Amino acid sequence: MKSNIKSKMYAIIDFLEIVLAIIVGIAVIMGTPDLFKYIVDILNNSAGVSYIYFGSFLKHVLLLIVGLELMLMIISHSHEAVLPLVLFVIARKMLVYSDGMLDILIGTISIAIIFFVIRFVIKENDKIAREENIFQAKISLDEINNVYGISLPVQMGDNLEELIEHLSKVEGIDKIKRGIKLTYGDYSFTVTSASKGKAERVKIKNLSDN
């Protein structure tokens, strides 16, 4: 009963998120024609006035990009998608609103930190796995077993995604989506992120620890 309620809540949340993403997408599409208006204004005015219009043009372009990145973040349910979103927000701030070298310096440092996180933290995905037992579905079962001390059946697939697909078929689940729970032996698997019927992130829990 409790799991059914949670599944329905996840379904409602997914639906509302998709609706919000569609609304953002519509707003981006409706805002795109304004870019051509800025181009016409840039071409038809003097250099000084065109410079002002060009600044507005850049501001509008980056705002539309932020909208697209926001859509991606909503749809993917991935914390990695937050970083490009923040990156474009900082870029917009630097290119449009920076008043001096201090703003540029702070923006540059912020961008450097984001690239550092993408390169050395997100790519490895180690911190999340160790603290929350949430793994990317593409990670191999051998790596999970050897690095994290979990005993998963390697005969059921090369990676976690294939294992989830196998267990879903066994339990008669047609479509893999966020919130579904599967069990095998002493372990339970909760899909925390899914796209196009495939698991993207999975939380693994050892039932014997309870």
Side-chain angles (χ1 to χ4, degrees):
M1 178 65 179
K2 186 176 180 180
S3 61
N4 289 335
I5 294 175
K6 284 186 176 180
S7 297
K8 290 180 180 179
M9 290 181 64
Y10 276 124
I12 293 173
I13 292 172
D14 285 336
F15 174 76
L16 292 176
E17 287 178 339
I18 292 174
V19 170
L20 291 175
I22 293 174
I23 293 174
V24 173
I26 293 173
V28 170
I29 293 173
M30 293 179 65
T32 301
D34 291 334
L35 296 176
F36 299 99
K37 296 178 182 178
Y38 283 121
I39 293 175
V40 172
D41 290 332
I42 292 171
L43 295 175
N44 293 335
N45 286 279
S46 62
V49 178
S50 294
Y51 177 81
I52 298 175
Y53 281 119
F54 184 69
S56 299
F57 173 81
L58 287 179
K59 185 192 306 182
H60 197 72
V61 168
L62 290 172
L63 185 60
L64 295 179
I65 294 175
V66 168
L68 294 175
E69 292 295 332
L70 179 60
M71 285 180 61
L72 182 61
M73 183 187 71
I74 293 174
I75 295 173
S76 65
H77 296 117
S78 173
H79 65 278
E80 286 101 331
V82 177
L83 295 176
L85 175 62
V86 175
L87 188 64
F88 282 112
V89 170
I90 294 173
R92 185 171 185 266
K93 165 67 178 176
M94 289 180 62
L95 293 175
V96 179
Y97 295 107
S98 294
D99 294 326
M101 288 303 299
L102 180 59
D103 288 340
I104 295 176
L105 177 62
I106 294 174
T108 303
I109 294 174
S110 301
I111 291 175
I113 291 174
I114 291 175
F115 277 113
F116 176 84
V117 171
I118 293 174
R119 175 62 179 84
F120 296 103
V121 179
I122 300 303
K123 184 176 179 180
E124 295 300 329
N125 199 37
D126 185 67
K127 183 177 180 181
I128 293 177
R130 290 190 183 278
E131 292 183 357
E132 302 179 22
N133 270 7
I134 298 177
F135 299 87
Q136 290 185 358
K138 294 295 184 181
I139 188 172
S140 69
L141 297 183
D142 286 330
E143 182 177 349
I144 295 178
N145 292 340
N146 296 331
V147 177
Y148 300 99
I150 299 175
S151 300
L152 299 182
V154 294
Q155 69 274 14
M156 292 187 180
D158 294 329
N159 54 40
L160 190 55
E161 179 185 320
E162 293 180 2
L163 175 60
I164 294 299
E165 289 180 353
H166 180 86
L167 295 177
S168 297
K169 291 179 181 178
V170 171
E171 297 195 16
I173 297 175
D174 296 329
K175 184 178 181 180
I176 298 173
K177 57 185 179 180
R178 186 163 67 106
I180 68 169
K181 290 187 177 182
L182 305 164
T183 57
Y184 179 85
D186 292 333
Y187 296 96
S188 70
F189 306 87
T190 303
V191 177
T192 61
S193 177
S195 176
K196 298 179 180 179
K198 292 185 177 294
E200 292 184 335
R201 288 183 177 275
V202 180
K203 182 172 184 177
I204 302 176
K205 183 178 180 181
N206 191 337
L207 299 176
S208 62
D209 291 340
N210 294 338

